[in-house]
Amino acid sequence: MNPMSRPDVVGVFDPATHTVSYVVSDPATGAAAIIDPVLDFDPAAARTSTGSVDRLLEIVAARGLRLEQVLETHAHADHLTGAHEIRERTGAPVSIGAAITRVQKTFGDLFEAADVRPDASAFDRTWADGDRFRLGEMDVEVLHTPGHTPACISYRIGDAVFVGDTLFMPDFGTARCDFPGGDARTLYRSIQRLLALPDETRMFVGHDYLPAGRRDFAWQTTVAAQKADNIHVGGGRSEADFVALREARDATLPAPQLILPSLQINIRAGALPPAEASGRRFLKTPLNAL
């Protein structure tokens, strides 16, 4: 890993889900990846649309980039992924952490989704901790950072790291850990791995919820800022104190609004459920299951 290499990064904020997607590229070659794309979804009408995907692909085209990868940090519970839509349009492979099989097993069973095999075959590639691959002339390192979900990974590309939902901006804190397979102690240890990166490392987060006292949405910070100021883990907070804080907070949080539609799409890498005999596709709502 060359810490001096510096990818170009464009963040695209989706106000409906507070998600940040990224177009990341190698300045030397124009090779690009899209991280955590959003498929727009109107829950009242149960209608999908592709405005967010369109914006990401417009950025790729306007900058003359060559899209080589769609990278997921985890199976999101707060938005539908646009990964399959991008793969269909561009042929770019979709990849995710290898532990996605655990998430597919849990939620494939919950939704009684007979087409979902818990073998990651819906994705083109899976990554294990320590895996490396190239984006143009840049080296990408995969860090397994579970805790929010068992399958969360972060991508370190030169002087930047993309952490998904593991950490948020310092004034908002850290991810919840009360989903199946989540664990606050595991999250703390994952965060310590990220905080061990060089202080100047640029850190790009997966969401921003505009906490009180801040007027503008933000998604870029640094390792140094997180170590000093993160309201949940900064200042050297101990593991025991973090676990107590995180578990107490999680006990007060409602389920994300889109958790049921999101997860049954996202364990399929963004593909919609198979059509019924009528040609219609249906999302399932298991009652009293969460």
Side-chain angles (χ1 to χ4, degrees):
M1 177 70 63
N2 178 4
M4 300 305 293
S5 60
R6 186 178 179 88
D8 288 336
V9 181
V10 180
V12 177
F13 183 73
D14 172 44
T17 63
H18 294 256
T19 301
V20 190
S21 305
Y22 295 99
V23 178
V24 186
S25 59
D26 171 21
T29 66
I34 291 175
I35 299 178
D36 290 343
V38 171
L39 181 69
D40 302 307
F41 181 68
D42 176 356
R47 183 172 293 278
T48 61
S49 57
T50 63
S52 294
V53 166
D54 296 341
R55 284 191 290 277
L56 293 168
L57 294 180
E58 286 165 3
I59 291 167
V60 170
R63 292 178 168 237
L65 304 176
R66 183 179 68 259
L67 183 63
E68 294 189 347
Q69 302 265 0
V70 180
L71 305 174
E72 296 277 23
T73 57
H74 63 295
H76 312 273
D78 42 38
H79 70 271
L80 281 63
T81 176
H84 181 72
E85 176 72 17
I86 295 173
R87 177 169 57 188
E88 288 288 287
R89 291 198 204 179
T90 69
V94 177
S95 57
I96 199 167
I100 187 61
T101 54
R102 293 179 56 186
V103 180
Q104 287 179 313
K105 172 62 176 171
T106 297
F107 288 98
D109 288 350
L110 175 65
F111 296 116
E112 298 184 11
D115 64 296
V116 174
R117 294 182 296 177
D119 60 4
S121 59
F123 299 84
D124 299 293
R125 299 171 184 168
T126 59
W127 308 113
D129 186 52
D131 279 350
R132 293 174 181 263
F133 59 94
R134 303 291 287 180
L135 184 66
E137 296 178 357
M138 306 191 76
D139 188 39
V140 183
E141 179 186 8
V142 176
L143 304 173
H144 185 210
T145 48
H148 174 57
T149 81
C152 288
I153 58 175
S154 299
Y155 298 97
R156 185 184 181 198
I157 309 174
D159 76 334
V161 63
F162 300 85
V163 300
D165 293 7
T166 301
L167 282 158
F168 299 128
M169 294 298 289
D171 56 358
F172 197 81
T174 61
R176 65 193 297 169
C177 299
D178 57 335
F179 297 150
D183 179 75
R185 195 170 303 279
T186 300
L187 180 67
Y188 182 87
R189 295 173 184 177
S190 293
I191 290 170
Q192 298 312 304
R193 291 190 69 192
L194 294 169
L195 298 185
L197 296 174
D199 281 355
E200 65 273 17
T201 302
R202 293 183 293 162
M203 182 177 287
F204 295 91
V205 304
H207 296 279
D208 190 47
Y209 298 100
L210 201 63
R214 178 152 53 84
R215 298 182 61 182
D216 298 315
F217 289 104
W219 44 84
Q220 178 178 339
T221 182
T222 64
V223 167
Q226 294 282 24
K227 285 197 293 190
D229 299 324
N230 187 285
I231 61 172
H232 293 165
V233 293
R237 185 185 294 272
S238 71
E239 180 176 303
D241 285 350
F242 171 78
V243 170
L245 179 155
R246 186 68 263 172
E247 290 182 346
R249 177 168 170 76
D250 289 348
T252 70
L253 298 177
Q257 180 184 11
L258 297 182
I259 185 171
L260 293 175
S262 291
L263 282 167
Q264 56 193 299
I265 298 298
N266 295 346
I267 59 175
R268 294 176 167 102
L272 301 181
E276 302 292 337
S278 64
R280 295 190 182 93
R281 301 174 189 270
F282 293 86
L283 293 173
K284 295 181 178 179
T285 304
L287 300 177
N288 305 313
L290 294 180

